[in-house]
Amino acid sequence: MNSTNSNTNNHSASTAPAVLRGLASRGYSITGQRRCLVEFIVSHSRHFTAEDLLNDLRDEGVKVGRATVFRTLDLLERTGYVGRVRDGERMAYTACGMEGHHHHLVCSSCGQVLHLEGCPVAGMLEEIQSRTGYRIQHHSLEVAGVCPSCQR
Amino acid sequence: MNSTNSNTNNHSASTAPAVLRGLASRGYSITGQRRCLVEFIVSHSRHFTAEDLLNDLRDEGVKVGRATVFRTLDLLERTGYVGRVRDGERMAYTACGMEGHHHHLVCSSCGQVLHLEGCPVAGMLEEIQSRTGYRIQHHSLEVAGVCPSCQR
DNA sequence: CTATATGCAAATTCTTTGCAAATCG
DNA sequence: CGATTTGCAAAGAATTTGCATATAG
């Protein structure tokens, strides 16, 4: 599924080599499993659970343990390469590029994730901060809908 | 609503009797446990987990089982009286009034929840909808920060 | 060669469920 | 009273951990 939309993209924001380089530069080893996990993650536009990832990798013939999947997802989340999205009952992961702040539009039918560039609430947060006295740290915006192909 | 702030409030948006009436009108029984749970929830401005709720109620001397807490939270979520917020690792609940759509500002230090009235992204969603072809269903915006008293 | 990462299986944590007893209306 | 709700304890998910082995650098 390739979109050529102006300021929306459903490509992963980073390539696998870029993510791997990023991990390496922070001192993490690039193991076979991490390579496979990262390649899988950046090439899939739908969100997934740890279990999905484990099963799909094993179906592809990758030899990997459950603990490694959890540990790697945790690592990738801490380093900012994946984020979590809540889709109804499921708590799933999705690739997030390193290009910083953005939001997600998730198809509630197929799980496709569109990364929305730009932040529509930045201005509002300024205002909230000065009005409430809270020191704003971060925020998340998740939008759920039905993608064009699932509407058919 | 007796909020002293212009468009932010940290009161629960409903009173316990109102919530109980709402449940009754939908055909649910008003049991002692539900009454206590609802009273507790609407009178607390911080978010909480099921476990927190169970422990706090038991500390108060309320006789309630764990299953009832989960079942009641589920009921209140389905009926729109509580919502879930993710605060870092914790997945917590917070009281939500029946006044419909709003967002949360959560203190990452003490868990205090401010309910933000109005929706800063409504316009943007229209635009996304027409540009992407997604049929937007719902969205959630969560803002995390440090409340004034935790800053001290 | 040494530190890091992995796999397994057991341990934890969180949540749900079956069913008899209690309670609401 | 009859239907709904509750509590318990057991079952089920989801995730984490300990430790011996394998691998990256």
Side-chain angles (χ1 to χ4, degrees):
Chain A
M1 322 287 159
N2 257 348
S3 155
T4 43
N5 257 320
S6 54
N7 65 341
T8 307
N9 82 78
N10 61 8
H11 312 280
S12 7
S14 309
T15 61
V19 174
L20 293 168
R21 250 181 280 120
L23 292 179
S25 75
R26 294 174 190 238
Y28 298 105
S29 308
I30 305 309
T31 64
Q33 286 84 346
R34 286 187 180 163
R35 200 182 300 276
C36 292
L37 275 162
V38 167
E39 260 151 27
F40 185 95
I41 289 169
V42 302
S43 66
H44 281 253
S45 59
R46 299 184 181 182
H47 61 188
F48 51 85
T49 61
E51 199 63 23
D52 292 338
L53 187 49
L54 180 68
N55 294 333
D56 290 354
L57 284 172
R58 284 181 166 175
D59 288 350
E60 283 185 4
V62 176
K63 193 182 157 297
V64 67
R66 189 183 314 278
T68 298
V69 170
F70 278 101
R71 287 190 275 230
T72 306
L73 283 172
D74 184 61
L75 170 64
L76 293 173
E77 186 180 11
R78 278 185 285 114
T79 48
Y81 295 114
V82 306
R84 292 189 190 203
V85 287
R86 180 168 179 250
D87 183 17
E89 281 310 283
R90 310 182 86 191
M91 182 55 93
Y93 294 88
T94 188
C96 285
M98 47 175 114
E99 6 263 271
H101 190 65
H102 65 274
H103 298 292
H104 296 135
L105 171 53
V106 177
C107 174
S108 56
S109 166
C110 71
Q112 176 97 236
V113 179
L114 238 61
H115 297 260
L116 305 173
E117 292 167 20
C119 181
V121 292
M124 189 239 198
L125 294 180
E126 280 295 314
E127 189 269 326
I128 288 174
Q129 183 160 260
S130 60
R131 182 159 49 75
T132 64
Y134 270 61
R135 179 154 42 76
I136 306 293
Q137 297 174 308
H138 42 256
H139 65 278
S140 81
L141 171 64
E142 280 171 31
V143 186
V146 184
C147 74
S149 79
C150 284
Q151 285 174 42
R152 291 190 282 267
Chain B
M1 303 313 112
N2 44 356
S3 162
T4 47
N5 258 322
S6 56
N7 63 343
T8 307
N9 81 80
N10 59 7
H11 311 281
S12 8
S14 308
T15 61
V19 174
L20 293 168
R21 251 182 281 118
L23 292 178
S25 74
R26 293 171 191 241
Y28 297 106
S29 307
I30 306 308
T31 64
Q33 286 84 346
R34 287 187 179 163
R35 200 182 299 277
C36 292
L37 276 162
V38 167
E39 259 150 27
F40 185 95
I41 289 169
V42 303
S43 66
H44 282 252
S45 59
R46 299 183 181 185
H47 61 188
F48 51 86
T49 62
E51 199 64 23
D52 292 338
L53 187 49
L54 180 67
N55 294 334
D56 290 354
L57 283 172
R58 284 181 167 173
D59 287 351
E60 282 185 5
V62 176
K63 192 181 157 299
V64 67
R66 187 182 315 278
T68 298
V69 170
F70 278 101
R71 287 190 277 231
T72 306
L73 283 172
D74 184 61
L75 171 64
L76 293 172
E77 186 181 11
R78 279 184 286 113
T79 48
Y81 295 114
V82 306
R84 291 188 192 203
V85 287
R86 185 161 112 89
D87 183 18
E89 281 310 282
R90 310 183 86 191
M91 181 55 92
Y93 294 87
T94 187
C96 285
M98 47 174 114
E99 4 266 89
H101 189 65
H102 65 274
H103 298 292
H104 296 136
L105 171 52
V106 178
C107 174
S108 55
S109 167
C110 72
Q112 176 98 237
V113 179
L114 237 61
H115 297 260
L116 305 173
E117 291 167 18
C119 181
V121 292
M124 189 238 196
L125 295 179
E126 280 296 315
E127 188 269 327
I128 288 174
Q129 184 159 263
S130 60
R131 183 160 47 75
T132 64
Y134 269 61
R135 178 154 42 78
I136 306 293
Q137 296 174 308
H138 42 257
H139 65 278
S140 81
L141 171 64
E142 280 171 31
V143 185
V146 185
C147 74
S149 80
C150 285
Q151 286 174 43
R152 289 190 283 268

